[in-house]
Amino acid sequence: MSLPSVPACIPSPFPALSAPTPAASPSARSFQLDYEHNCFRKDGAPFRYISGSIHYARVPRPAWRDRLLKMYLSGLSTVQVYVPWNYHETLPGVYDFTGNRDVEAFLDLTAELGLLVILRPGPYICAEWEMAGCRPAGVDAAASPCPASVPPAYLAAVDSWLHVLLPKIRPRLYQQGGNIISVQVENEYGSYYACDYGYLRHLLGSFRALLGSEVLLFTTDSAGAQELRCGTLQGLYATVDFGPGSNVTEAFGALRRVEPKGPLVNSEYYTGWLDYWGEAHASTSAAWVARGLEDMLQLGASINMYMFHGGTNFAYWSGADYKDQYKPVTTSYDYDAPLSEAGDPTEKLFAIRTVISKFQPLPVGPMPPATPKYAYGWVALRKYADLLDVLDVLCPSGPIQSQFPLTFEALKQAYGFMVYHTQLPWDVPDPATLGAPPHSICDRGYVMLQKEYQGTLERDGQTTLHVTGRGGDTLDILLENMGRISFGANTSDFKGLLGNLSLNSRPLSNWQIYPLAIDTAVQQGWPQAALPKSSSAGRVGPAFYTGTFETPGIAWDTFVKFPGWSKVRQRITGKGSKSGPGHGSSLARAALETGIVSSVPVTIAAPQALPCCTDNAQPCPHHTGPWQVAAVSSARCAQPGPGGGFAGRPWNRRRSRGNGKGSVPPGTLHTASSGCRKEDSWS
């Protein structure tokens, strides 16, 4: 199928940031499709957008303005924004739009800076986000983002959410005087095996009822025939997504088969890719990305670059993919994007900016430089307590008794950790096999016998250990939820022990289960406000460590490095605050704002800390030791993972994107493991 070689619509010039174009009255404002000339029309004039994705939930609020300004000065007219449902409705009927969740403030800031917005409110967003942003914890027991046949309870939950969110959006629509030019309905629904047009029609009706008849609603799918057949619907303008390795003519030709007329749109042009635990950092050539961008702009296409700034998966919000096995996403969502995780311009950004300058004027003004970084030095950590010795603090309501293990979902534990406790039912003088059924450790279990660490069981890895002991010895398994699937071949993703543990094939029973409220305890001042526990100095296993570091009148971005540690979660609190910001490149500016000198408390939860220097402040010669707050870090995962994109049946959503996987760049404050085993942040 032939495509136009010359744009039929000429994009409108950029408004100057210092002198924004006066807004037309709401009655005169319009953003529409022009099927005759194959373009958008904004206020009646031909329009083509060049956009970039940014996720407010992955950027600390104090850094929003910096990141958006850099995107504007890169030549973007528009930003694309996801709204994660479960980030705002944390429990059924419990909504949070404060602080970093204040999406209205974020949208208002984009308008202030002269940027248009493409909004993607889901309800499914993928985005490598916990459970794809779908449903708050506890909507029902099914731990899948979007069920195959949409049950009434799920549809009711979706409707309730949209009735809360979309009234906040309507006044910000372009036709109402705002800057939101289009709104996506669902996301890549054609990759979902159900192919349920009734579900899409229901969503279309809800969006129209709540947003009005004038707003442009659209869908996004990959360029496969099946995806476009199941993901499109009359009344929703179809767009496609593909990366720089794709054949542009073929991809847009596929779009033309479902949208014979109208603008060409790539809603997700991949500038990089994400990271999975244990795999290599994503790296996509700047020249390659720039070349593909120029090819599409020469066709007159509107383009959104995913991601333009990736940011960080704070707290428990990182999701997972499933392709033959469970693939959890790292804390870093750097994405090898044009703006690094630290918010710094990269070579890729300037290559993109050069391409954009060939098609439209760039805004006036210099690109802000990289943020200054400061190395705060080594932090001596002292062991505060073994995790099993503080269960009374972490689970004040006490354990739940059960004959057999229960899942996180059954106990309304949305995220984090739970401890499963029982006893050996008989003497085991010779090594016996402690095992779990396949795929029943979700996702990572740290095994302790008599409070001594025995080893780790993993979801798609090791599922057996050999143990010895006496009847009545305590057996504890700390289960970690590493993120629910947002895209992949599973229909559900329950967490915890999904099957019975057995000893030499005989099931263990009589469990006490502790849902751990670690964040609640830390927010209440623990452990800094508590007396140290008397723990075994040489004991190996999950433990808490504390320390402080000085900020000598300098509150700059930094990077936390854990040389030799295995897996940690960290919390850093500012002076006078029990639970200041705990992560991200702005942590130094937010939590570390000081007078002349301030001591900044640090809490580290280390599920797999090794027993070196646990009770002294000297640097360890190997393994566990102090960690370093450094301006520059060389920590990188050196274990290469398979390249390429995705294929297969995710619930079943199919994916075919670009090459590579994500990273942890210097200049951001969160944890790292120089051994490249695991890393995580905690807030």
Side-chain angles (χ1 to χ4, degrees):
M1 182 170 294
S2 62
L3 296 171
S5 58
V6 179
C9 285
I10 305 300
S12 59
F14 246 94
L17 183 60
S18 58
T21 302
S25 65
S27 60
R29 293 166 66 94
S30 64
F31 188 81
Q32 299 170 321
L33 296 163
D34 183 341
Y35 288 102
E36 182 179 355
H37 296 97
N38 297 324
C39 66
F40 294 110
R41 287 193 177 270
K42 178 172 168 281
D43 299 332
F47 180 79
R48 183 256 302 279
Y49 62 73
I50 303 175
S51 172
S53 288
I54 179 173
H55 300 159
Y56 60 91
R58 286 177 163 136
V59 182
R61 183 168 178 167
W64 286 353
R65 179 179 293 274
D66 172 80
R67 307 303 191 261
L68 290 170
L69 179 60
K70 287 171 180 172
M71 294 175 76
Y72 178 90
L73 290 171
S74 298
L76 305 185
S77 62
T78 310
V79 293
Q80 190 190 82
V81 181
Y82 273 133
V83 181
W85 173 12
N86 57 6
Y87 187 61
H88 294 282
E89 190 178 359
T90 53
L91 292 169
V94 178
Y95 301 98
D96 188 352
F97 291 94
T98 63
N100 229 85
R101 292 171 167 85
D102 192 345
V103 62
E104 293 175 279
F106 180 83
L107 293 173
D108 291 345
L109 182 57
T110 64
E112 177 188 331
L113 294 175
L115 288 161
L116 300 170
V117 169
I118 300 165
L119 196 71
R120 307 174 85 185
Y124 169 93
I125 65 169
C126 186
E128 292 77 53
W129 186 265
E130 156 74 18
M131 204 187 278
C134 267
R135 74 170 84 210
V139 164
D140 57 39
S144 67
C146 295
S149 58
V150 183
Y154 176 76
L155 211 53
V158 169
D159 288 342
S160 294
W161 163 238
L162 294 179
H163 276 78
V164 171
L165 175 66
L166 297 187
K168 299 177 184 294
I169 300 307
R170 184 164 184 165
R172 294 173 171 82
L173 297 177
Y174 189 78
Q175 294 82 354
Q176 302 294 322
N179 64 328
I180 299 174
I181 57 174
S182 60
V183 178
Q184 180 178 285
V185 176
E186 246 287 336
N187 183 52
E188 296 177 330
Y189 188 69
S191 296
Y192 186 43
Y193 73 93
C195 203
D196 186 346
Y197 296 116
Y199 172 61
L200 285 180
R201 279 192 290 269
H202 179 90
L203 290 180
L204 173 58
S206 297
F207 276 71
R208 282 285 175 228
L210 294 167
L211 295 179
S213 60
E214 294 184 338
V215 62
L216 174 60
L217 301 179
F218 71 99
T219 61
T220 301
D221 288 282
S222 65
Q226 173 72 5
E227 286 83 347
L228 288 170
R229 182 180 71 85
C230 291
T232 58
L233 187 73
Q234 186 175 1
L236 298 171
Y237 189 74
T239 72
V240 290
D241 53 32
F242 56 89
S246 301
N247 184 304
V248 173
T249 301
E250 289 182 1
F252 281 144
L255 176 60
R256 278 289 175 248
R257 285 189 280 273
V258 294
E259 291 287 2
K261 297 290 185 179
L264 298 172
V265 180
N266 185 345
S267 288
E268 290 188 6
Y269 177 62
Y270 303 110
T271 61
W273 200 244
L274 58 135
D275 259 7
Y276 302 113
W277 287 122
E279 297 189 6
H281 166 47
S283 180
T284 304
S285 160
W288 197 27
V289 171
R291 189 181 311 120
L293 176 64
E294 186 165 358
D295 289 344
M296 289 185 289
L297 291 176
Q298 286 175 342
L299 294 174
S302 287
I303 300 152
N304 174 73
M305 286 169 274
Y306 188 103
M307 298 291 297
F308 205 87
H309 174 53
T312 303
N313 289 313
F314 301 134
Y316 304 109
W317 294 113
S318 57
D321 283 343
Y322 196 96
K323 183 179 182 291
D324 301 325
Q325 64 177 2
Y326 175 76
K327 298 171 73 68
V329 176
T330 59
T331 304
S332 172
Y333 200 68
D334 175 75
Y335 214 86
D336 196 33
L339 277 175
S340 74
E341 182 178 15
D344 294 337
T346 66
E347 174 193 358
K348 188 175 294 181
L349 180 146
F350 290 106
I352 288 170
R353 195 169 188 257
T354 298
V355 170
I356 293 173
S357 70
K358 299 177 182 180
F359 295 88
Q360 61 188 41
L362 294 174
V364 177
M367 174 65 64
T371 57
K373 316 295 189 300
Y374 187 82
Y376 291 91
W378 288 93
V379 179
L381 296 178
R382 294 182 180 274
K383 185 175 181 180
Y384 171 79
D386 292 299
L387 182 141
L388 294 179
D389 291 337
V390 289
L391 292 180
D392 57 330
V393 175
L394 304 180
C395 184
S397 60
I400 290 90
Q401 310 285 333
S402 178
Q403 184 73 2
F404 297 107
L406 299 174
T407 65
F408 277 53
E409 291 74 21
L411 299 182
K412 307 299 184 186
Q413 176 84 352
Y415 315 110
F417 300 84
M418 294 205 310
V419 169
Y420 294 78
H421 171 89
T422 189
Q423 296 178 334
L424 295 185
W426 56 80
D427 290 346
V428 187
D430 299 316
T433 300
L434 178 70
H439 315 298
S440 64
I441 303 292
C442 291
D443 301 305
R444 190 172 172 88
Y446 309 94
V447 179
M448 281 77 69
L449 189 62
Q450 288 291 90
K451 297 187 176 181
E452 293 291 341
Y453 176 69
Q454 304 296 307
T456 300
L457 304 178
E458 295 191 89
R459 178 169 178 159
D460 290 313
Q462 180 175 339
T463 57
T464 61
L465 293 171
H466 290 97
V467 299
T468 61
R470 300 172 60 90
D473 283 357
T474 58
L475 175 67
D476 295 275
I477 300 95
L478 174 66
L479 250 293
E480 179 183 4
N481 169 2
M482 293 184 66
R484 291 183 177 85
I485 292 170
S486 57
F487 199 104
N490 260 13
T491 56
S492 62
D493 197 13
F494 295 94
K495 298 300 181 181
L497 284 179
L498 273 58
N500 295 325
L501 282 186
S502 61
L503 193 61
N504 278 348
S505 301
R506 296 171 63 181
L508 297 173
S509 58
N510 299 318
W511 293 90
Q512 295 180 359
I513 307 170
Y514 295 81
L516 302 186
I518 297 175
D519 298 276
T520 300
V522 172
Q523 288 165 5
Q524 293 173 351
W526 183 89
Q528 277 79 18
L531 295 175
K533 293 277 184 178
S534 56
S535 296
S536 172
R539 184 184 295 165
V540 180
F544 290 89
Y545 298 79
T546 61
T548 60
F549 66 95
E550 302 296 319
T551 58
I554 299 174
W556 286 356
D557 288 351
T558 192
F559 181 90
V560 180
K561 180 179 178 183
F562 285 80
W565 289 64
S566 184
K567 193 170 195 299
V568 302
R569 298 186 74 84
Q570 58 122 9
R571 178 84 181 209
I572 300 180
T573 55
K575 182 179 180 182
S577 168
K578 293 183 179 180
S579 56
H583 42 249
S585 60
S586 75
L587 187 142
R589 295 192 299 274
L592 307 185
E593 287 181 359
T594 64
I596 298 176
V597 177
S598 174
S599 294
V600 181
V602 180
T603 301
I604 303 295
Q608 282 184 283
L610 300 176
C612 166
C613 302
T614 53
D615 286 291
N616 65 64
Q618 301 303 313
C620 292
H622 63 281
H623 298 310
T624 305
W627 52 265
Q628 187 176 21
V629 186
V632 177
S633 169
S634 60
R636 290 290 189 277
C637 282
Q639 304 168 3
F646 293 78
R649 305 257 325 160
W651 319 261
N652 249 331
R653 289 185 187 264
R654 291 174 296 280
R655 176 181 291 195
S656 178
R657 292 191 173 175
N659 293 329
K661 322 280 180 277
S663 109
V664 186
T668 55
L669 183 53
H670 64 87
T671 71
S673 166
S674 62
C676 294
R677 289 175 285 260
K678 301 288 177 183
E679 61 182 57
D680 215 340
S681 70
W682 170 30
S683 169

